[in-house]
Amino acid sequence: MGVMQTMLLYLLIMAVVIAAVFALVWFVFGRGEDLPPVERGTTLTRLPRAGITGDHVRQLVFSQSLRGYSAAEVDWAMEKLARELDELRGVVLDLQARDGTDHPHVADGDPAER
């Protein structure tokens, strides 16, 4: 047998072994998808309607696209958080006005003033 025939035989055996391993992994583990793919334009990113906590924010998961995270999902989550914070800030200001105290550093969130 020549050197070229030996190399071709090794390549053929390697291809058969790779195909067998691939078929075994495919059969045992499947495609790796437990759920069907999400329809385009929908998201699995969730936040509660109100009462967002730090844990909710920490548990946020954004789907990744070719260039990174989906900008639409990140924008949606950030807007939701901004609205919640604005609402909470309004409640704090209303409570301060009812109490008759004026604590602008608390409303502004300036830790240097505390």
Side-chain angles (χ1 to χ4, degrees), residues 57-97:
V57 175
R58 287 182 197 93
Q59 292 172 0
L60 278 177
V61 177
F62 300 103
S63 62
Q64 292 186 341
S65 63
L66 184 60
R67 292 187 172 175
Y69 294 109
S70 169
E73 287 183 17
V74 174
D75 291 344
W76 172 84
M78 297 309 279
E79 179 60 31
K80 177 97 170 152
L81 291 171
R83 277 184 281 172
E84 181 79 12
L85 290 174
D86 290 343
E87 182 181 328
L88 291 174
R89 173 89 33 112
V91 170
V92 167
L93 293 174
D94 288 345
L95 290 174
Q96 286 174 349

